[in-house]
Amino acid sequence: MARASRGRTTVLLVAIAALLTGCGADVPAGPFPPRPADIDTTSVDICAGLTPHQQAALGVEPGVPGTAELSEGPTRTCRWSSFDDGYNYSIQTLPVPAAVTVGSPDSTVQEISGYGVVQVPAHATSVPQCMTYVDTSDTVGIRTLTQATRPDKRDPTLIEEVCRRAEVFTSQVIENLRSAR
């Protein structure tokens, strides 16, 4: 009888260890690394995504806030335009998590400032742009957009430059919105 009791205890301990291992904080859920912190995109001022100093460095006008309606729900936007260097930047809140964009055509999963992102380049031969979907929480996300707008910037070889700028812009947005909590 004692042998059967030890066997059940061993099975129980193995089961508990397996459960605890599966619930570890450093085990990512899905395609992204664990977030440093959630960013509440439902209440944060998204035009705070760029500081005045960063706006000056990018040569953009102050952010222009807006709203839009997606099929999933309402969204807020903020746009910054540069008429000098031909690049525009924007942020859009998303009523869905960034994970829904994983597997989009031409997308790559990356990490920027500790957050999982899905980067999607588009329109390389017309108006090169790079969209970056940021994993800000389990239920909502943000999308940044970096776009070359001048006719002399419409060159398929520029998509790499646009996406490089997108990574810098997205990193700034993440850091600024995270500290705006």
Side-chain angles (χ1 to χ4, degrees):
M1 191 67 116
R3 196 178 275 174
S5 177
R6 274 186 266 158
R8 279 185 247 150
T9 302
T10 302
V11 169
L12 181 60
L13 290 175
V14 169
I16 290 171
L19 284 172
L20 291 175
T21 301
C23 294
D26 58 349
V27 177
F32 302 124
R35 281 177 225 103
D38 283 4
I39 299 173
D40 182 7
T41 61
T42 61
S43 64
V44 70
D45 173 12
I46 62 168
C47 284
L50 284 179
T51 67
H53 176 73
Q54 291 165 335
Q55 292 172 39
L58 289 172
V60 295
E61 301 291 323
V64 177
T67 59
E69 189 68 34
L70 299 176
S71 60
E72 298 88 0
T75 181
R76 295 177 299 125
T77 62
C78 192
R79 300 184 320 272
W80 295 269
S81 299
S82 172
F83 299 104
D84 294 331
D85 76 353
Y87 288 94
N88 291 342
Y89 305 87
S90 67
I91 304 171
Q92 181 175 24
T93 60
L94 299 174
V96 295
V100 302
T101 62
V102 172
S104 301
D106 299 322
S107 69
T108 58
V109 174
Q110 302 175 21
E111 185 177 322
I112 296 178
S113 296
Y115 287 79
V117 302
V118 178
Q119 191 174 71
V120 184
H123 310 295
T125 59
S126 58
V127 182
Q129 63 185 10
C130 200
M131 295 170 283
T132 307
Y133 298 85
V134 183
D135 177 44
T136 59
S137 79
D138 290 339
T139 57
V140 296
I142 59 172
R143 176 187 64 94
T144 66
L145 173 69
T146 303
Q147 182 177 41
T149 57
R150 284 193 339 216
D152 64 323
K153 300 285 186 195
R154 296 180 183 163
D155 176 343
T157 62
L158 286 177
I159 195 70
E160 288 180 19
E161 172 62 15
V162 173
C163 287
R164 186 195 65 72
R165 286 174 175 258
E167 290 176 17
V168 171
F169 170 59
T170 302
S171 178
Q172 292 170 330
V173 166
I174 288 169
E175 294 300 324
N176 293 332
L177 293 184
R178 184 174 170 196
S179 64
R181 297 189 267 156

